[in-house]
Amino acid sequence: MYVLTLKNRLNEFRAVQRLRELGLLDEGLLPLVEVVKKDVAFDKLVDPSTGEYVKVNKPYKSGKRKGQPRMCTVDDLETERDVTLDNISDAFAGKKVLVDFFRCYMPKYKGADPSKCKLVLKMSNDLAFYEEAVKRLADYRDLIPVISVIDELSNLSPKSLEALILELRKTSSNKPVAIRISTYEGYEHILSDLLGPDDYLIYDINETPPASRIEEFDELADLHIAAHSVLLCSPRKRDDGNKVYEDGCFIDNSHIRDFSEYGFEGVGDYAGLRDSLPPRPGAGATGRALALFYDGSSNAFKRYINPDVKKGQSGYDDVVKQILADRGELERRAGECAVLSEIADHAAAGNYGGWQTWIVYTVVRYVQQLYLAHGNSYNL
């Protein structure tokens, strides 16, 4: 089982759409979506009996008449509707999806802009708000609730975690639940007694090398937890800028090869992306254009980079030339790699893409390579 881990951002969901088109959302792939932002839709109010906009009292927001109601039509009034979970369900077309309202210890995300991480901060610091969000997942048949236990945060106590699991069982008795945790200590009873064979244990080691946690994995195995167990890793360091890759590509992707030896049934990662949050203003205006191409057969990345920091994303013209010169090495037969075909087609029209384009390319290339390297499956 491969757990594709993505945040609910535009270009990561564009990659999902491309994977759907390629038929790569196979049953052996289980998506994990980290909700880091709220998606909203705006609806104008219409009287269904007349088809006319409803007249409403809407207070003035400024000026001499501030706070006084006025009559207006809904041409200028829209109602906001939260469509975050609807969008996730639609993106995967009814496929089973793990959904995690993302919580984290913000100091680990040094370049993140707090003003763009309001939902993450609220989820991380307000347990009652977080629990209510998790409970909303009961309304979606295809969305599996993930309950996160984060070491550095004020956390759900074992007793509170047990109560939340039992409440989820009550509201959606046939739906599995998942617990995402970075250390089992203090929660042994919950993991062993409350998780059944249809549930999921996501053991999140983030950026730490798996080989450094072997003793811990052995102790976890001794708990004999009935749930599907997934080792979740983030091998590409979030603080590594593109400059790091000038001298080579040192990403430890051993989790893909070794997870079953550590006692896990499945493995997950960010498909060649970093576990990152929105950066502060001005980030990305300049920098080295970088492309990371994963090779499934060797379980390694090859990097292509333009070292001219001043060119920024316009430096992808040179990166694309390097990639196309290596095309014979990057696919086993011509046309096999969907990303290379797109790159070649766009380059012929003088379009080399930018930072956002290459997010899509990185994810699609990684997932397709995993699939092809394991006999057109995710039986890793």
Side-chain angles (χ1 to χ4, degrees):
M1 180 197 340
Y2 173 61
V3 176
L4 170 62
T5 309
L6 301 168
K7 293 179 171 61
N8 69 323
R9 295 182 289 210
L10 177 62
N11 290 290
E12 284 158 270
F13 271 32
R14 283 179 175 165
V16 170
Q17 175 61 31
R18 191 71 186 101
L19 292 171
R20 279 179 60 184
E21 294 168 354
L22 293 167
L24 291 172
L25 294 184
D26 186 87
E27 63 179 14
L29 180 148
L30 179 62
L32 167 59
V33 175
E34 298 175 341
V35 178
V36 296
K37 67 182 184 68
K38 178 181 176 182
D39 294 333
V40 297
F42 296 93
D43 303 313
K44 290 186 175 179
L45 299 176
V46 174
D47 184 338
S49 64
T50 64
E52 299 291 330
Y53 289 136
V54 181
K55 289 186 176 182
V56 297
N57 285 322
K58 180 181 180 182
Y60 286 100
K61 292 184 178 179
S62 60
K64 293 181 179 179
R65 292 175 290 180
K66 183 178 180 182
Q68 297 177 4
R70 64 182 170 94
M71 296 300 293
C72 65
T73 63
V74 194
D75 292 292
D76 62 349
L77 177 67
E78 296 174 311
T79 59
E80 183 178 299
R81 181 164 50 92
D82 186 340
V83 294
T84 307
L85 298 180
D86 296 305
N87 287 352
I88 294 171
S89 181
D90 292 345
F92 292 93
K95 181 179 174 61
K96 184 166 63 176
V97 182
L98 296 162
V99 177
D100 183 8
F101 287 96
F102 192 67
R103 307 170 71 228
C104 69
Y105 181 59
M106 284 298 293
K108 286 186 175 180
Y109 297 78
K110 296 176 182 176
D113 183 349
S115 69
K116 298 177 183 177
C117 301
K118 292 179 181 178
L119 183 63
V120 173
L121 288 167
K122 182 75 170 174
M123 292 292 176
S124 300
N125 298 315
D126 187 337
L127 275 177
F129 180 78
Y130 171 72
E131 288 187 56
E132 288 305 310
V134 172
K135 291 174 189 176
R136 293 208 314 268
L137 289 161
D139 297 332
Y140 294 81
R141 185 176 60 182
D142 51 333
L143 305 184
I144 300 172
V146 176
I147 307 170
S148 291
V149 179
I150 309 297
D151 276 353
E152 300 91 343
L153 299 181
S154 174
N155 254 321
L156 289 163
S157 67
K159 186 176 180 180
S160 297
L161 178 58
E162 180 176 2
L164 180 54
I165 292 172
L166 293 176
E167 185 164 353
L168 290 171
R169 301 272 195 226
K170 185 177 179 180
T171 54
S172 50
S173 58
N174 295 323
K175 183 187 289 188
V177 298
I179 294 179
R180 178 176 182 173
I181 198 166
S182 55
T183 179
Y184 64 84
E185 292 182 356
Y187 293 88
E188 294 92 337
H189 156 69
I190 305 295
L191 302 179
S192 298
D193 297 349
L194 291 188
L195 292 183
D198 294 328
D199 297 321
Y200 295 87
L201 169 65
I202 303 167
Y203 208 71
D204 183 4
I205 65 170
N206 205 257
E207 295 184 351
T208 59
S212 69
R213 310 282 288 265
I214 292 177
E215 183 176 348
E216 184 179 337
F217 297 154
D218 289 341
E219 293 169 353
L220 185 66
D222 289 341
L223 296 178
H224 302 291
I225 298 164
H228 302 291
S229 60
V230 176
L231 177 63
L232 181 60
C233 305
S234 181
R236 186 177 167 193
K237 310 300 184 188
R238 70 176 65 87
D239 293 332
D240 283 353
N242 291 358
K243 178 178 171 53
V244 168
Y245 298 98
E246 284 192 11
D247 297 326
C249 195
F250 313 107
I251 298 175
D252 177 8
N253 224 52
S254 60
H255 60 282
I256 291 292
R257 183 188 63 240
D258 299 337
F259 72 95
S260 60
E261 295 179 16
Y262 299 140
F264 292 91
E265 181 182 341
V267 66
D269 57 29
Y270 292 86
L273 302 181
R274 293 178 293 183
D275 169 24
S276 63
L277 290 171
R280 294 188 178 92
T286 59
R288 297 159 182 79
L290 171 72
L292 294 176
F293 263 65
Y294 177 67
D295 178 76
S297 59
S298 63
N299 190 33
F301 290 88
K302 186 169 185 178
R303 69 94 176 97
Y304 298 89
I305 192 167
N306 186 331
D308 188 347
V309 68
K310 295 180 180 179
K311 291 196 72 175
Q313 58 188 346
S314 66
Y316 276 111
D317 56 352
D318 178 61
V319 170
V320 167
K321 290 174 185 174
Q322 297 175 43
I323 290 169
L324 293 180
D326 270 3
R327 187 166 184 176
E329 298 178 20
L330 293 172
E331 56 185 357
R332 297 174 300 184
R333 54 180 178 77
E336 178 184 60
C337 176
V339 168
L340 283 169
S341 297
E342 286 189 39
I343 290 171
D345 290 344
H346 290 156
N351 182 2
Y352 304 101
W355 309 126
Q356 304 305 317
T357 313
W358 287 85
I359 289 173
V360 179
Y361 287 162
T362 300
V363 172
V364 174
R365 166 74 185 192
Y366 187 94
V367 174
Q368 187 185 34
Q369 280 289 300
L370 271 185
Y371 184 78
L372 294 174
H374 296 87
N376 292 355
S377 80
Y378 297 104
N379 295 319
L380 310 181

